[in-house]
């Protein structure tokens, strides 16, 4: 146990680096990034806490406040399921450190336990980040109680048991068939599973009225909890902890704790060896395809820019982690937004939208710019494009091709991925205007221009951020994209610009035209500035020092 | 021809990884950088190939300056790093065509070279698989083929023989020999002195960033009669 914990601490220390700075002066930088992170998240965090407080205040007189805790427990459970599905394969099976860990004089159980502790620590940190604000809201409204203690205990046990259950399922699947011993395949299947659950939950939540705490609270107690009835009812430990919170009983509580630990101990004892064997035999790559003269010659000669762009896209599509984080988001987010939108606004009609746009056509521009900003930011292609190279960045310096060309290939890949979502929006605007809105054509041209300028600026900005500040040292691809602070800068820039446009549109109405041209002019100037940085400074920034 | 003038690099304030190293490597020769782990071989090769910025000094490759004319300098050589885990999700053949596009190799020529070298190194049949499924040695080999695809005048390899099976090591040495017979230059690093035997025209023993010996292996042996290669190596790098 002690050895396992020591090892886990080492693993956490070496793999959790948000800022990688070879020159080691990163303490201050890390702190700064955390401050920026918290400031950025503050509105959401406070909002989430506030709405929970409102709901709880409404429920306390009805003695129904436990509903809030049970929902939070389900939320925590969902978070653990999702993160486990991605983290367990990433940290247990495919992490680069496995090769170094296997020869160490540790028992299989110790190795397994160390990895479990490592994952558990990350998950708890993440869980706290999300659960603490609403929990504070709850405490402010309902005060302390035994239920709260049960909740905290249950959440913790739930996190552990759930994660171990998922790892058990994964281990079982992988030991059944060698077909599953392919890293990319497993990640893909897991991601599709997780995604289906996410869509299912999103679909159900879409029916809830999130804007009004009172109706929300009422619908919660009236048993409109489709979540807890369908999917969650299959998980025994979750049901036990919910019933414990509603109806506390020392004996059951003790039994629950003992039962959980017994389950975990048993799994570790029985499965450690199987798991370590799987770790050791894990392989990547697909089954062999016969080499032929046809595939030898089946290529066209391409320019360097084209070849590099194609390579970027191939890697984005073929690496499951990248595919899900960088590509699929732009396919799914519009879809999810559309579903939520249609469910949330029952009496919505095209005529209403048309009247709204005709009352102030600048809204069309704001919509185009805002959506373009969201989809260009969310795919993270350019802000992680150097980071994703990782240890292979040196290749960029070997090629007899200018750094500008190589970086513009990365920029193009970002534009192509962003366009998957932005182009349909532009088409929708054009079609919508021709058929329904019937605004002057100028407005359509402006909004299309606005969407393009936004997309170009954000992608270029993200690229330059990554050139200045790549995260090159990582244990698995997940970390290159997900534990990468660079997205914050792009997110910040995109939010600032959109917020400024929105503010000026609604509050400085007499100057809107000036502000519109001013902002976009400034963006174009900024694009040229970023271009200058790429042509003149990028090589010096990317060469090793 | 490769010309290094007073190359210096330190990663930390206290210690120089490469210390005022000057060297000229002429055409048509096989040269080995030999030295224990941490001697500064990789650091020197990285500065030569434009990956790492020297603190001081100059690199000339076929008289193109790496600092002032990096694009032309980089066209002159093929480089194989000691870490071949790259482009894992490309198929072998896709990687080679990518290199062909980058170095603007004419189509028929690249097909001919891909076939020739990959068959010799025994990876032709796996070219349709993703590099992810290759073993360490196979990954090394595909990188070697990729480095040869533009028929460079200079071939630079970092620890190329570590991790290759005897058959492939033999083939690689043969490729190096043919290369130098055509008047081209080969430079590679190794931490084993034996590797240089019967292969190198010249060896540079590097230790703590400095050249401790520069010349042929025969002359070195004459300086230390009745001593094994291992012992000579230990004496020179003491
Ligand atoms: N990125 C780096 N950061 C700090 N020190 C380094 C780095 N790379 C190499 N060194 C140090 O420079 C010296 C030379 O290393 P290297 O050139 O890799 O040696 P070799 O290839 O001969 O084994 C060693 O002392 C090594 O510790
Ligand atoms: Mg080395």
């Amino acid at each position: 146990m002690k050895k396992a914990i020591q090892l886990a601490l080492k693993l956490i220390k070496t793999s959790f680096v948000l800022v990688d700075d070879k020159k080691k002066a990163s303490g201050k930088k890390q702190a700064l990034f955390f401050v920026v992170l918290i400031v950025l998240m503050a509105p959401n965090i406070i909002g989430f806490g506030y709405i929970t407080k409102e709901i709880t205040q409404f429920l306390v007189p009805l003695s129904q406040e436990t509903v809030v805790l049970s929902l939070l427990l389900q939320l925590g459970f969902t978070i653990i399921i999702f993160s486990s599905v991605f983290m367990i394969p990433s940290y247990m099976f495919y992490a680069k450190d496995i090769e170094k860990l296997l020869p160490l004089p540790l028992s299989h159980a110790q190795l397994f336990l160390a990895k479990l502790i490592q994952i558990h620590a990350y998950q708890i940190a993440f869980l706290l980040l999300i659960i603490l604000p609403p929990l504070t809201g709850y405490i402010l409204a309902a005060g302390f109680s035994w239920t709260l203690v049960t909740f905290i205990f249950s959440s913790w046990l739930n996190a552990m048991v759930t994660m171990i259950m998922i790892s058990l399922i994964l281990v079982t699947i992988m030991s059944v068939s060698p077909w599953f011993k392919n890293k990319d395949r497993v990640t893909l299947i897991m991601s599709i599973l997780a995604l289906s659950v996410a869509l299912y939950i999103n679909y159900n939540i879409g029916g809830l009225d999130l804007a009004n705490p009172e109706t929300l609270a009422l619908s919660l107690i009236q048993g409109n909890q489709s979540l807890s009835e369908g999917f969650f009812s299959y998980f025994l430990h979750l049901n036990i902890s919910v019933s414990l919170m509603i109806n506390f009983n020392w004996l059951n509580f003790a039994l629950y704790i003992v039962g959980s630990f017994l389950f975990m101990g048993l799994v570790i004892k029985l499965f450690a060896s199987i798991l370590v064997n799987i770790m050791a035999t894990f392989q990547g790559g697909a089954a062999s395809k016969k080499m032929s003269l046809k595939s030898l010659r089946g290529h066209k000669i391409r320019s360097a820019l084209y070849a590099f762009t194609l390579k970027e896209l191939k890697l984005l599509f073929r690496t499951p982690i990248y595919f899900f984080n960088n590509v699929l988001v732009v396919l799914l987010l519009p879809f999810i937004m559309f579903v939520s939108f249609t469910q949330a606004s029952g009496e919505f009609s095209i005529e209403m939208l048309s009247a709204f746009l005709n009352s102030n056509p600048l809204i069309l521009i704001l919509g185009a710019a805002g959506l373009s900003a969201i989809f260009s930011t969310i795919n993270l292609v350019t802000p992680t494009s150097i980071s994703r190279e990782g240890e292979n960045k040196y290749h960029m310096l070997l090629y007899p091709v200018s750094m500008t060309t190589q970086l513009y290939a990365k920029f193009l890949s970002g534009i192509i991925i962003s366009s998957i979502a932005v182009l349909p929006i532009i088409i929708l605007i054009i079609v919508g205007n021709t058929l329904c809105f019937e605004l002057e054509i100028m407005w359509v041209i402006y909004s299309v221009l606005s969407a393009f300028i936004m997309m170009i600026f954000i992608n270029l900005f993200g690229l330059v951020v990554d050139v200045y500040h790549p995260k090159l040292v990582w244990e698995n691809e997940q970390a290159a994209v997900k534990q990468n602070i660079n997205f914050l800068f792009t997110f910040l820039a995109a939010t600032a610009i959109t917020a400024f446009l929105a503010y000026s549109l609604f509050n400085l109405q007499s100057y809107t035209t000036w502000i519109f041209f001013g902002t976009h002019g400034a963006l174009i100037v900024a694009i040229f500035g970023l271009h200058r940085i790429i042509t003149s400074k990028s090589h010096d920034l990317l060469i090793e020092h | 021809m490769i010309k290094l003038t007073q190359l210096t690099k330190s990663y930390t304030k206290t210690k120089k990884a490469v210390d005022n190293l000057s060297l000229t490597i002429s055409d048509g020769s096989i040269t080995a950088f030999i030295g224990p782990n941490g001697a500064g071989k990789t650091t020197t090769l990285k500065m030569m190939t434009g990956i790492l910025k020297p603190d001081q000094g100059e690199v000339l490759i076929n008289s193109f300056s790496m600092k002032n004319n990096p694009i032309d300098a980089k066209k002159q050589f093929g480089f194989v790093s000691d870490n071949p885990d790259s482009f894992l999700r490309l198929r072998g053949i896709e990687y080679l065509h990518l290199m062909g596009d980058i170095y603007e190799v004419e189509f028929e020529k690249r097909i001919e070279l891909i076939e020739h070298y990959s068959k010799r190194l025994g990876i032709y049949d796996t070219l349709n698989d993703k590099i992810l499924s290759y073993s360490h040695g196979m990954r090394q080999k595909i990188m070697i083929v990729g480095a040869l695809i533009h028929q460079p005048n200079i071939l630079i390899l970092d620890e190329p023989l570590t991790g290759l099976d005897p058959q492939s090591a033999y083939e690689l040495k043969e490729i190096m020999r043919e290369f130098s017979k055509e008047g081209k230059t080969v430079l590679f690093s190794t931490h084993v002195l034996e590797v240089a035997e019967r292969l190198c025209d010249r060896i540079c023993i590097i230790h703590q960033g400095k050249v401790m010996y520069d010349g042929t292996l025969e002359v070195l042996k004459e300086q230390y009669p009745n001593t094994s290669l291992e012992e000579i190596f230990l004496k020179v790098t003491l």
Side-chain angles (χ1 to χ4, degrees):
Chain A
M1 186 78 190
K2 205 173 142 213
K3 259 191 181 165
I5 292 176
Q6 283 171 345
L7 178 60
L9 285 177
K10 271 252 160 58
L11 293 176
I12 291 167
K13 237 182 168 170
T14 48
S15 69
F16 194 73
V17 194
L18 274 177
V19 185
D20 69 73
D21 202 335
K22 267 191 208 144
K23 293 190 177 99
K24 282 278 169 190
S26 60
K28 264 189 203 157
K29 258 192 184 170
Q30 289 251 23
L32 183 72
F33 281 125
F34 275 114
V35 171
V36 174
L37 187 72
I38 286 170
V39 168
L40 277 175
M41 306 278 277
N44 286 327
I45 293 174
I46 295 169
F48 197 14
Y50 180 76
I51 198 170
T52 316
K53 184 172 151 252
E54 294 283 296
I55 294 175
T56 319
Q57 264 168 359
F58 183 77
L59 289 172
V60 168
L62 309 171
S63 320
Q64 291 281 4
E65 70 272 16
T66 318
V67 170
V68 173
L69 288 185
S70 113
L71 279 178
L72 283 183
L73 197 73
Q74 287 171 14
L75 174 68
F77 173 75
T78 316
I79 291 171
I80 298 293
I81 287 205
F82 276 102
S83 49
S84 298
V85 158
F86 290 102
M87 284 176 81
I88 291 172
S90 283
Y91 285 92
M92 276 207 190
F93 305 126
Y94 324 132
K96 285 191 207 153
D97 58 14
I98 301 268
E99 276 172 37
K100 288 167 215 151
L101 291 178
L102 286 174
L104 292 182
L106 293 167
S107 73
H108 290 170
Q110 282 168 332
L111 201 60
F112 187 23
L113 194 58
K115 282 279 174 183
L116 286 177
I117 295 173
Q118 183 193 13
I119 298 171
H120 184 58
Y122 292 149
Q123 291 187 327
I124 289 294
F126 189 49
L127 205 60
L128 281 179
L129 199 73
I130 295 189
I131 297 284
L132 267 187
L135 196 62
T136 316
Y138 173 86
I139 295 172
L140 284 178
F144 286 96
S145 62
W146 266 113
T147 328
L148 204 63
V149 178
T150 331
F151 168 78
I152 292 168
F153 241 95
S154 299
S155 296
W156 178 47
L157 281 180
N158 258 325
M160 277 202 282
V161 172
T162 309
M163 191 256 291
I164 288 175
M165 272 173 67
I166 303 270
S167 69
L168 192 64
I169 294 171
L170 289 178
V171 171
T172 314
I173 294 173
M174 285 168 182
S175 52
V176 167
S177 159
W179 194 81
F180 285 102
K181 285 203 176 183
N182 179 309
K183 173 181 169 172
D184 288 0
R185 221 173 260 159
V186 173
T187 318
L188 205 69
I189 294 169
M190 287 303 128
S191 314
I192 289 172
L193 274 179
L195 211 71
S196 321
V197 176
L199 283 176
Y200 172 77
I201 290 177
N202 178 68
Y203 183 77
N204 280 303
I205 288 179
L208 298 176
D209 183 2
L210 288 172
N212 186 339
E214 291 189 12
T215 40
L216 183 59
L218 278 178
S219 63
L220 290 182
I221 28 179
Q222 274 158 14
N224 193 358
Q225 306 171 31
S226 36
L227 297 182
S228 64
E229 281 158 14
F231 178 67
F232 293 107
S233 57
Y234 297 109
F235 295 90
L236 182 66
H237 60 296
L238 191 67
N239 287 324
I240 296 178
S241 35
V242 170
S243 66
L244 261 175
M245 280 195 310
I246 294 168
N247 207 342
F248 186 77
N249 169 331
W250 274 110
L251 182 68
N252 289 349
F253 188 52
L255 276 178
Y256 177 49
I257 294 179
V258 173
S260 300
F261 275 100
L262 266 180
F263 169 74
M264 292 188 280
L266 207 67
V267 168
I268 292 168
K269 191 113 206 123
L270 293 179
F271 282 82
S273 299
I274 302 177
L275 184 88
V276 172
N277 284 335
I278 290 181
M279 283 181 187
T281 59
F282 232 88
Q283 52 165 55
S288 173
K289 286 208 181 82
K290 199 98 193 96
M291 185 61 195
S292 64
L293 209 61
K294 201 171 135 239
S295 41
L296 180 65
R297 308 186 63 95
H299 285 255
K300 291 194 182 70
I301 292 224
R302 298 188 170 100
S303 72
L305 183 68
Y306 188 162
F308 277 123
T309 313
L310 201 64
K311 174 212 113 194
E312 288 294 317
L313 291 173
K314 274 181 184 164
L315 296 185
L316 278 173
F317 276 83
R318 287 181 189 174
T319 315
I321 297 284
Y322 301 158
F323 180 67
F324 271 86
N325 289 302
N326 303 108
V327 180
L328 213 56
V329 280
V330 292
L331 287 169
L332 282 171
L333 193 67
F335 179 72
I336 291 177
M337 280 167 83
F338 182 72
V339 169
S340 311
F341 183 69
T342 47
Q343 283 205 342
S345 47
E347 303 106 61
F348 168 80
S349 70
I350 293 284
E351 287 75 31
M352 277 167 62
L353 181 64
S354 185
F356 186 46
L357 288 177
N358 275 291
S359 72
N360 188 351
L362 280 165
I363 291 171
L364 188 70
I365 296 175
L366 183 64
L371 287 175
S372 171
I374 292 175
F375 296 129
S376 307
T377 312
I378 199 85
N379 66 61
L380 301 176
V381 171
T382 58
T384 61
S385 55
I386 312 284
S387 303
R388 278 182 276 116
E389 297 275 345
E391 287 173 2
N392 292 319
K393 189 200 72 183
Y394 73 87
H395 285 283
M396 297 180 70
L397 293 150
L398 282 176
Y399 301 137
V401 175
S402 76
M403 205 47 88
T404 310
T405 309
Q406 296 193 46
L407 290 178
Y408 270 105
K410 291 183 184 295
F411 168 73
L412 274 180
S413 69
I415 290 288
I416 290 169
I417 301 293
S418 306
S419 300
I420 295 176
V422 174
L423 280 187
I425 287 166
I426 288 173
I427 292 170
L428 268 181
I429 289 178
I430 295 174
V431 172
N433 193 60
T434 326
L435 297 181
C436 319
F437 317 146
E438 295 173 341
L439 300 171
E440 269 182 61
I441 190 77
M442 280 314 289
W443 296 115
V444 176
I445 293 176
Y446 283 159
S447 40
V448 170
L449 271 181
S450 186
F452 271 115
I453 291 175
M454 203 64 152
M455 178 162 82
I456 291 172
F457 172 76
I458 290 176
N459 275 291
L460 206 54
F461 183 75
L463 180 65
V464 171
V465 167
D466 206 23
V467 167
Y468 271 96
H469 186 258
K471 179 188 169 85
L472 298 170
V473 184
W474 36 260
E475 281 297 313
N476 54 61
E477 289 135 352
Q478 176 94 351
V481 184
K482 280 275 149 146
Q483 288 171 22
N484 194 329
I485 207 92
N486 286 345
F487 91 94
L488 267 185
F489 295 99
T490 357
F491 178 72
L492 193 63
T495 321
I497 299 167
T498 329
F500 179 72
L501 275 179
Y503 176 80
S504 56
L505 179 64
F506 290 110
N507 292 306
L508 307 166
Q509 296 211 357
S510 42
Y511 303 103
T512 36
T513 325
W514 286 108
I515 289 172
F516 173 76
F517 282 108
T519 316
H520 287 79
L523 281 181
I524 291 174
V525 172
I527 287 172
F528 277 102
L530 293 169
H531 171 74
R532 276 297 302 255
I533 293 181
I534 286 182
T535 50
S536 62
K537 284 199 180 157
S538 59
H539 181 269
D540 230 36
L541 287 165
L542 288 172
I543 194 170
E544 290 179 18
H545 284 276
Chain B
M1 193 184 73
I2 304 172
K3 191 158 187 267
L4 311 179
T5 326
Q6 301 184 333
L7 270 190
T8 301
K9 181 77 207 176
S10 23
Y11 295 103
T12 56
K13 286 198 181 98
T14 45
K15 195 176 149 229
K16 285 180 176 158
V18 172
D19 192 356
N20 207 12
L21 189 141
S22 297
L23 210 60
T24 304
I25 296 167
S26 51
D27 293 342
S29 65
I30 303 182
T31 307
F33 278 179
I34 303 176
N37 295 325
K41 307 181 293 292
T42 299
T43 306
T44 310
L45 296 183
K46 277 180 163 180
M47 288 192 282
M48 280 169 59
T49 50
I51 298 172
L52 180 71
K53 191 174 177 161
D55 293 342
Q56 264 174 48
E58 219 195 353
V59 176
L60 289 181
I61 302 211
N62 287 347
S63 72
F64 292 109
S65 156
M66 184 53 80
K67 188 164 172 241
N68 302 324
N69 194 355
I71 304 277
D72 282 319
K74 286 172 187 177
K75 280 181 185 159
Q76 309 302 315
F77 63 82
F79 175 63
V80 180
S81 136
D82 58 349
N83 169 14
D85 301 332
S86 309
F87 305 102
L88 299 183
R89 295 221 170 44
L90 292 186
R91 301 181 193 291
I93 185 70
E94 288 175 331
Y95 171 70
L96 296 176
H97 274 294
L98 173 67
M99 296 307 278
D101 289 336
I102 292 171
Y103 287 91
E104 299 172 339
V105 184
E106 194 254 316
F107 195 75
E108 290 306 321
K109 193 78 216 168
R110 73 167 91 150
I111 298 291
E112 181 196 320
L113 290 170
I114 291 173
E115 255 193 303
H116 174 77
Y117 286 120
S118 62
K119 277 186 177 158
R120 274 183 79 173
L121 290 171
I123 52 166
Y124 179 78
D125 286 329
T126 56
L127 283 185
N128 233 345
D129 296 339
K130 290 197 184 134
I131 299 180
L132 193 63
S133 69
Y134 288 17
S135 71
H136 181 83
M138 288 159 78
R139 290 177 188 183
Q140 232 170 323
K141 291 179 203 169
I142 191 103
M143 292 294 144
I144 294 171
V145 180
L148 291 167
I149 205 166
H150 63 290
Q151 296 181 288
N153 270 320
I154 300 171
L155 184 60
I156 304 172
L157 312 108
D158 196 0
E159 305 272 357
L161 296 160
T162 331
L164 287 191
D165 53 65
Q167 173 69 31
S168 310
Y170 172 79
E171 273 302 333
L172 180 58
K173 286 183 195 168
E174 278 302 300
I175 290 173
M176 290 188 200
R177 278 198 196 97
E178 286 167 21
F179 217 77
S180 73
K181 272 193 200 127
E182 290 167 20
K184 298 173 178 174
T185 312
V186 180
L187 170 65
F188 70 97
S189 78
T190 175
H191 58 272
V192 208
L193 190 53
E194 277 74 11
V195 168
E197 249 189 333
R198 290 192 303 278
L199 178 66
C200 296
D201 305 307
R202 177 181 175 192
I203 60 172
C204 294
I205 298 186
I206 296 184
H207 183 50
Q208 294 182 343
K210 290 196 175 89
V211 178
M212 309 301 279
Y213 174 83
D214 182 0
T216 63
L217 193 60
E218 287 66 40
V219 174
L220 182 65
K221 277 186 187 161
E222 280 164 21
Q223 284 181 9
Y224 298 91
N226 303 324
T227 322
S228 75
L229 276 179
E230 204 176 358
E231 282 168 310
I232 297 175
F233 188 56
L234 287 174
K235 277 185 181 154
V236 174
T237 59
L238 206 59

